[in-house]
Amino acid sequence: MSHIPGTRDEQHRPTRTSDVLVIGGGIIGLVTAWRTAQRGLRTTVVDPAPGGGAAQVAAGMLAAVTELHYGEETLLALNLASAHRYPDFAGELEEASGQSVGYRACGTLAVALDADDRAHLRELHALQTRSGLESQWLSGRECRRLEPMLAPGVRGGLRVDGDHQVDPRRLASALVTACERAGVTFCRDWAERLTVHRDRAVGAELRTGGKLSAEQVVLAGGSLSGRLGGVPAEVLPPVRPVKGQVLRLTVPPSHAPFLSRTVRAVVRGSHVYLVPRESGELVVGATSEELGWDTTVTAGGVYELLRDAHELVPGITELPLTETRAGLRPCSPDNAPLLGPTTLPGLQLATGHHRNGVLLTPVTGDALATSLTCGVLPDEARPFTPRRFSPLSQEQPV
Ligand code: GLY
């Protein structure tokens, strides 16, 4: 997916063939490959560093309820379907890989720091209630009783016991192992171009030369999905990168328990969240910046996150700051993923998950495996067909 030309030595590199070629080895590509291989298809993943990508930065909130937005009711149904699958998915993946994925059914508390924040949360609560979601309004005092480290100025909050977390780095690592054990082949290289023969996707050319061929190709390249060469313009996914800067702090045993659940707020219009892991890691995120391919960690980004997190939980200034990192969310025009067949035969998409990639991992794997083996998307994934963005289609965006 890079634009840097690679060397070609095709005479000496035979084409390797599979039933399914997945372009992109982030968590979405990996779960697609794992679920597909489990159904008996010979599956290859092409990626220079499988298990990398946005999952190395993401906090791993499974926030179907607290990240609900107006106009995204269809997406909510998919998010909830995936959230409900998480306990079984995590258990099955842990058994298949022999590794923990850090799934933690800890719940979330969304709090307000001033009158504007409280009005915003009241609106969110009304929307959640109308959508039939469980969410309980708490006074500031009740919030602090749950989480004593919260600032005294907290004015109220929403207790959402169904929004949990997983550790995306562990998730990615477990998926790599599960794929290996399920017989997935890894090609550690960049896919440079999609190969199209007689109006059908039939494989990919690699940056270092050589080709991979397959009956079906899945493009799961995260924010890079729109940059793969050789994809006809009308099929190229309309995915753009949205930068998120994230901090990692460490809670020493002497300060534990610091927070028992995810705590989040909207401070002066920006989302801030603190996600406490059992290991003592405390993830603070995230900025949301439309800056193209830039992944620089900036003083301003770190400052804003620390300032907002400090307003919420003043005690964080005592914790060691162990990591700062920026990643790119793959964002589509309607904030929802693109799943399943395109108008180019042989090419399916699994991309555009924006803020919900970790949450949507289980349902994406199931949807793509069904689509690749049976030729149809399951009901819950049908509204997310890439064809909704096709100029030739009558289907409307979600
Ligand atoms: N879902 C959290 C984020 O995208 O920052």
Side-chain angles (χ1 to χ4, degrees):
M1 270 158 289
S2 159
H3 292 289
I4 302 169
T7 55
R8 299 258 154 73
D9 186 12
E10 288 164 13
Q11 285 164 322
H12 303 291
R13 293 174 193 269
T15 300
R16 281 173 281 157
T17 300
S18 10
D19 296 320
V20 174
L21 172 63
V22 180
I23 299 177
I27 52 174
I28 295 298
L30 290 170
V31 76
T32 298
W34 181 44
R35 288 307 200 195
T36 302
Q38 281 181 318
R39 295 188 185 206
L41 298 190
R42 287 171 308 140
T43 305
T44 298
V45 172
V46 56
D47 191 301
Q56 293 300 315
V57 181
M61 287 181 302
L62 308 175
V65 179
T66 42
E67 288 203 355
L68 178 63
H69 290 97
Y70 283 106
E72 294 186 358
E73 288 76 8
T74 313
L75 178 58
L76 170 66
L78 191 72
N79 286 345
L80 288 174
S82 207
H84 290 147
R85 281 175 214 190
Y86 241 101
D88 287 347
F89 171 78
E92 187 186 344
L93 180 56
E94 288 185 344
E95 198 169 321
S97 64
Q99 297 172 31
S100 164
V101 299
Y103 177 73
R104 193 174 175 198
C106 59
T108 296
L109 185 64
V111 301
L113 286 166
D114 61 25
D116 284 350
D117 299 345
R118 194 162 61 172
H120 169 85
L121 267 196
R122 286 276 189 206
E123 287 293 315
L124 177 62
H125 190 218
L127 180 61
Q128 290 166 337
T129 306
R130 281 202 301 281
S131 307
L133 302 171
E134 277 190 39
S135 169
Q136 184 191 0
W137 182 266
L138 301 182
S139 67
R141 183 175 299 189
E142 288 168 325
C143 290
R144 281 188 299 281
R145 205 173 296 139
L146 278 182
E147 295 295 342
M149 296 304 286
L150 281 174
V154 164
R155 304 277 292 268
L158 292 175
R159 176 176 176 165
V160 177
D161 286 342
D163 276 2
H164 302 313
Q165 62 156 299
V166 71
D167 184 334
R169 291 177 175 177
R170 290 180 179 214
L171 178 68
S173 168
L175 280 168
V176 170
T177 303
C179 280
E180 285 166 349
R181 291 184 177 178
V184 172
T185 302
F186 283 99
C187 174
R188 287 175 166 77
D189 202 339
W190 285 102
E192 187 94 342
R193 287 184 72 76
L194 183 74
T195 316
V196 178
H197 182 64
R198 293 193 179 151
D199 292 332
R200 184 178 175 90
V202 294
E205 291 177 25
L206 305 177
R207 181 189 287 186
T208 55
K211 293 178 179 175
L212 299 172
S213 73
E215 294 295 316
Q216 302 185 81
V217 180
V218 179
L219 176 50
S223 57
L224 291 165
S225 299
R227 298 185 101 183
L228 182 66
V231 182
E234 67 278 10
V235 176
L236 204 61
V239 171
R240 67 181 196 283
V242 177
K243 178 180 174 182
Q245 300 191 49
V246 173
L247 317 177
R248 282 175 162 80
L249 295 86
T250 303
V251 179
S254 55
H255 288 59
F258 191 78
L259 295 174
S260 62
R261 73 202 71 221
T262 296
V263 168
R264 58 184 303 152
V266 179
V267 183
R268 290 176 289 273
S270 299
H271 290 269
V272 63
Y273 44 78
L274 293 87
V275 183
R277 305 239 194 273
E278 259 158 17
S279 63
E281 183 177 77
L282 180 67
V283 186
V284 178
T287 64
S288 188
E289 304 166 75
E290 301 268 1
L291 290 173
W293 303 99
D294 173 46
T295 51
T296 314
V297 175
T298 63
V302 173
Y303 165 72
E304 281 170 27
L305 288 172
L306 284 176
R307 180 195 63 197
D308 295 349
H310 173 255
E311 281 190 36
L312 223 57
V313 181
I316 63 151
T317 49
E318 292 177 29
L319 304 180
L321 174 63
T322 35
E323 192 181 324
T324 59
R325 192 114 176 226
L328 298 172
R329 304 176 184 90
C331 187
S332 75
D334 60 9
N335 296 333
L338 294 93
L339 304 175
T342 64
T343 51
L344 178 68
L347 180 66
Q348 306 217 12
L349 300 185
T351 188
H353 292 68
H354 192 211
R355 299 182 74 92
N356 298 307
V358 179
L359 171 61
L360 290 174
T361 294
V363 82
T364 299
D366 293 344
L368 265 291
T370 301
S371 181
L372 289 161
T373 50
C374 309
V376 286
L377 277 171
D379 286 348
E380 71 267 14
R382 281 196 195 149
F384 305 97
T385 167
R387 292 175 177 159
R388 70 189 189 276
F389 297 119
S390 164
L392 304 175
S393 169
Q394 297 304 306
E395 290 173 75
Q396 296 299 307
V398 294

